[in-house]
Amino acid sequence: MREGKEREFRSRTPPVVLAAPAFRAFGERADPADLSVVISTPLVQPGLKQLASNVDEPSVAANRNVVLFTGNWYTALSIDGGKTFQYIDPFTSFPDPPNLGFCCDQVVSYIPSIDTFVWLLQYGVHSGLPQADNIQRLAFAKTDDVAAGRWRLFDITTGSLGVAGQFMDFPDLAVGANSLYVTTNLFTPAGQSAGAVVVRIPFDSIASGQVVATPFKSEQLNSFRVAQNCGTRAFFAAHQVTSTLQVFTWDEGQPTPVPNLVEVARWIGGAGYHSRTPDGRTWLDRADPRITGAALAGTDLYFAWAVNQGSNQRPQPFIQIARIDSGNLTLLENINVFDADSATCYAALSAIADGEVGIAYMIGGGPRFPSAVLGILTGARKNVIAAVSERGPLPNSSGGGEWGDYLAVRPLYPDRKLFAASGYTMNGGGDGSNRDSTPRFFVFGRAQNAAGAVALATQAQGGAILFSRPPAEAVRAMALPRDAQEAVDVNSLGVVSPDVAARIKVAAGLGAAPEAASIRAQAVTPALPEQNRPGTERWPVKTARDPDRGNVGRNVIEGEDLGAGIVESTIAELASLPRPAGLEDIRSDPPEFQSVRDGVAEITIWRIEAQIIALKHEADGDYHLVLQGPGGEQMIAEVPTPSTRFVGGSPWLNNFAAARKEIDDKLVRHLQPAMFGLVQGRLMPLGAMMFQPRDAVDSGVSLVTPPPGSTLAQPLFQSAIRPTSVRITGVGFFDREHGATGAAPNVIELHPVLKVEWL
């Protein structure tokens, strides 16, 4: 990019003021100008399957209760307004053209005037096959057809654009009054920029099934972005030099667009921007000044791109936005979305019915890991951190740290009073692949618009199911604000009085009708892996790395502080508790509770006396203890592996280590490897099987937990043991039914165990 002239104007916008999301219960008052996050749903499955890259490029479109969400390399569909998602394989969704296959980029949008979702998939040449035409495939479907999987296809080929042999990449979609706009960059076979293309497709041709496409190509410019929500005149732009935008206007009646030069504040670019996260990793080595966000609101145009540190004398890379008068194409305002300590990047823009402009972007570096931010640029400007990463990306093969390349913001149809947005984070210990990100679906807007959505929280009719907070938030409201305090030290707690214990048990539902706990599924024994690795299902809650951990053990019930302490109970009492709202079905593990505690039982530290009758070392590293009460009733208690690989920086790491040592010293050390055989990767007592396993077990194998820092692997094993009396202290947790040995009828567990005392 050539350097432009220094301009006289500078940005006077103040730094962003970041806040936590304002989750509010129905009827709770809020400043109408506040920004409320109505839905925040993590999509966990793509990362578990190593399909959610650190260059995730998530996109989203939503109408009524149907939400389509895409990224690298996955697609997800929700039919309940984004509360839950089903996963679609884009590699096999449609027949492959000759020599081509789905490779990567996807973008989705929605056309309200013809009730049509648009799903763009980028295809490339299969490795080792002859050169073939690269395509951008468009799939069209009515809202009802999306859920049914009925799509119509239209392929944009390099041959149809007159650039055969080149490669199309970095696509986008924008919706106008009567036309859909598709943009893509062009590259030579050697990977050099060959320009960019905008393709205009009239809606009536999409509706008729006879798609007509009119392309415009530039060989000098790249990375066009068409303004979202443009009317009968499309606006799109690219950089000419570092202080001038080339802004095109394209009336629907014109065969070709008209170029215009618009002066903007001079900025500094580069191939990669420097920003280092708290773990010492870089995350913006991939960043560049491509325009990533564009929107039209009333007569104001907004174009957003990332600039390097030093621009406008700012110390960190940041997002620069040009607000332009669409009538005379002159700059109205040079907006800087910046933070003094962290970089901002990858802004997406859109507008809703009242002219408000929403923004989704990433912030990271300095004291922050890359985190998803939602904001409103118009009126009273607001920004909230909607999702926080716990780590940065691993270095790529050349040592760089990558993130990007785009996000999405869309109007939430049909009312267009709120925004739907995409984002992603990197959470947990990681699996070393850089393909284990957590995509995020958000609905947000002004509190005055979000208030109406809250009323739909329990309704499935009349539009999207919208939640002012995840279902567990309704219970969490009884306790302290999330992250208000650090996790409580269990060794500092006394036992609450019987009266206080009784009140907590009533609040948790003891004595309530048990219907919610009566749903049972047929037990299925899962396949047994040969080595353990950190778990996935609600793992932040199981290891105290969730935002609610500060509420555990403090016993704040319905706003009343009953005093911190341990609640004494029994297996019979805990096993009779009803499962809380949102977790009623014991067969499912709703993704919205991945990092959320649900109900009073899950923020209470319980202590019970029982006998341990069986012990397992699970594939997720936990010691699985089967507890039995005096009446024969059973439940499970779990002790995590006390290492940062399994539990990260859990505040209860030392508690886990102490509890684990008690189990090792009392029970595990006395188990003789010679009395076990290897069955499907797990050590089983020789008498457990009708046949004797052929695999011999080395007599020198140790079954106990390896010491901290050890590279030794602890084998998986399970065994019944002589009933051993114990007092167990741990946090309540509602697991799902998966055939676990010793599970209570409502599948409640003490998970994690914080203390073990022998009786």
Side-chain angles (χ1 to χ4, degrees), residues 222-491:
N222 61 37
S223 299
F224 286 136
R225 266 296 189 269
V226 178
Q228 298 289 335
N229 320 115
C230 59
T232 58
R233 170 179 291 181
F235 299 87
F236 58 95
H239 297 294
Q240 189 201 50
V241 296
T242 61
S243 60
T244 304
L245 282 178
Q246 184 89 296
V247 180
F248 292 83
T249 61
W250 198 0
D251 288 351
E252 290 182 337
Q254 294 177 323
T256 57
V258 177
N260 305 268
L261 296 181
V262 179
E263 296 180 351
V264 298
R266 183 177 174 270
W267 47 271
I268 299 171
Y273 300 160
H274 182 76
S275 180
R276 197 172 292 277
T277 57
D279 55 4
R281 298 173 182 172
T282 58
W283 69 291
L284 287 185
D285 294 344
R286 184 186 180 94
D288 59 39
R290 285 177 287 182
I291 296 176
T292 57
L296 176 67
T299 60
D300 290 355
L301 276 171
Y302 294 78
F303 292 104
W305 64 97
V307 300
N308 213 340
Q309 61 193 57
S311 300
N312 206 13
Q313 301 181 348
R314 305 208 187 281
Q316 305 291 338
F318 65 91
I319 296 161
Q320 180 161 313
I321 301 175
R323 183 167 71 92
I324 298 169
D325 187 323
S326 65
N328 56 26
L329 295 181
T330 59
L331 186 72
L332 297 173
E333 183 182 12
N334 177 49
I335 302 170
N336 288 181
V337 180
F338 73 99
D339 181 86
D341 301 315
S342 302
T344 62
C345 200
Y346 301 119
L349 304 176
S350 192
I352 52 177
D354 59 6
E356 293 270 33
V357 176
I359 180 173
Y361 61 96
M362 300 300 304
I363 189 168
R368 298 184 176 96
F369 290 105
S371 300
V373 183
L374 307 172
I376 297 177
L377 291 174
T378 42
R381 291 178 180 170
K382 300 287 184 178
N383 294 267
V384 300
I385 296 181
V388 178
S389 289
E390 298 172 342
R391 54 186 164 89
L394 295 171
N396 61 19
S397 58
S398 60
E402 298 180 327
W403 203 273
D405 284 323
Y406 52 81
L407 305 174
V409 179
R410 305 283 191 247
L412 182 64
Y413 293 98
D415 295 335
R416 293 184 61 213
K417 293 182 178 180
L418 296 171
F419 297 98
S422 65
Y424 65 104
T425 53
M426 301 189 81
N427 300 100
D431 62 9
S433 71
N434 258 349
R435 296 185 174 191
D436 60 347
S437 299
T438 302
R440 306 273 179 163
F441 168 64
F442 305 109
V443 172
F444 73 99
R446 296 285 188 196
Q448 60 188 8
N449 294 329
V454 174
L456 300 176
T458 59
Q459 299 177 17
Q461 300 85 15
I465 301 175
L466 302 177
F467 288 85
S468 62
R469 60 182 75 208
E473 293 278 37
V475 175
R476 188 186 306 127
M478 304 178 195
L480 303 175
R482 305 184 86 182
D483 286 333
Q485 301 187 46
E486 284 303 313
V488 70
D489 178 3
V490 66
N491 293 313

Side-chain angles (χ1 to χ4, degrees), residues 109 142 204 216 218 325 354 377 473 505 549 637 684 724 745:
S109 193
K142 300 289 186 180
D204 56 6
F216 165 76
S218 171
D325 187 323
D354 59 6
L377 291 174
E473 293 278 37
K505 292 173 185 178
R549 62 185 181 273
M684 300 277 289
T724 305

Side-chain angles (χ1 to χ4, degrees), residues 59-70 75-82 84-89 93-94 106-112 114-121 138-153 206:
S59 184
V60 68
N63 179 47
R64 300 200 313 267
N65 59 330
V66 175
V67 181
L68 191 63
F69 195 108
T70 61
T75 302
L77 172 66
S78 174
I79 58 174
D80 59 7
T84 60
F85 283 86
Q86 297 174 327
Y87 298 90
I88 301 169
D89 185 356
S93 293
F94 305 116
Q106 300 182 84
V107 184
V108 290
S109 193
Y110 176 71
I111 305 171
I114 57 172
D115 179 31
T116 298
F117 278 81
V118 186
W119 178 9
L120 183 152
L121 304 92
L138 298 177
F140 303 106
K142 300 289 186 180
T143 299
D144 291 340
D145 290 335
V146 172
R150 294 187 292 266
W151 295 87
R152 295 178 290 113
L153 302 180
I206 297 172

Side-chain angles (χ1 to χ4, degrees), residues 470-561:
E473 293 278 37
V475 175
R476 188 186 306 127
M478 304 178 195
L480 303 175
R482 305 184 86 182
D483 286 333
Q485 301 187 46
E486 284 303 313
V488 70
D489 178 3
V490 66
N491 293 313
S492 69
L493 295 180
V495 177
V496 301
S497 69
D499 288 343
V500 169
R503 293 184 61 182
I504 292 171
K505 292 173 185 178
V506 169
L510 186 62
E515 290 85 356
S518 64
I519 307 171
R520 298 194 61 83
Q522 183 175 355
V524 177
T525 303
L528 301 177
E530 295 185 356
Q531 57 184 346
N532 58 359
R533 54 182 289 178
T536 55
E537 293 179 350
R538 302 189 72 196
W539 198 246
V541 177
K542 294 177 180 178
T543 58
R545 289 183 296 157
D546 61 296
D548 301 326
R549 62 185 181 273
N551 291 324
V552 175
R554 300 190 185 278
N555 302 329
V556 179
I557 306 298
E558 296 181 345
E560 183 179 356
D561 189 349

Side-chain angles (χ1 to χ4, degrees), residues 673 676-681 683 686 691-698:
F676 287 79
L678 190 62
V679 180
Q680 292 183 301
L683 297 181
L686 294 177
F691 66 94
Q692 297 302 312
R694 297 180 180 179
D695 298 311
V697 179
D698 188 340

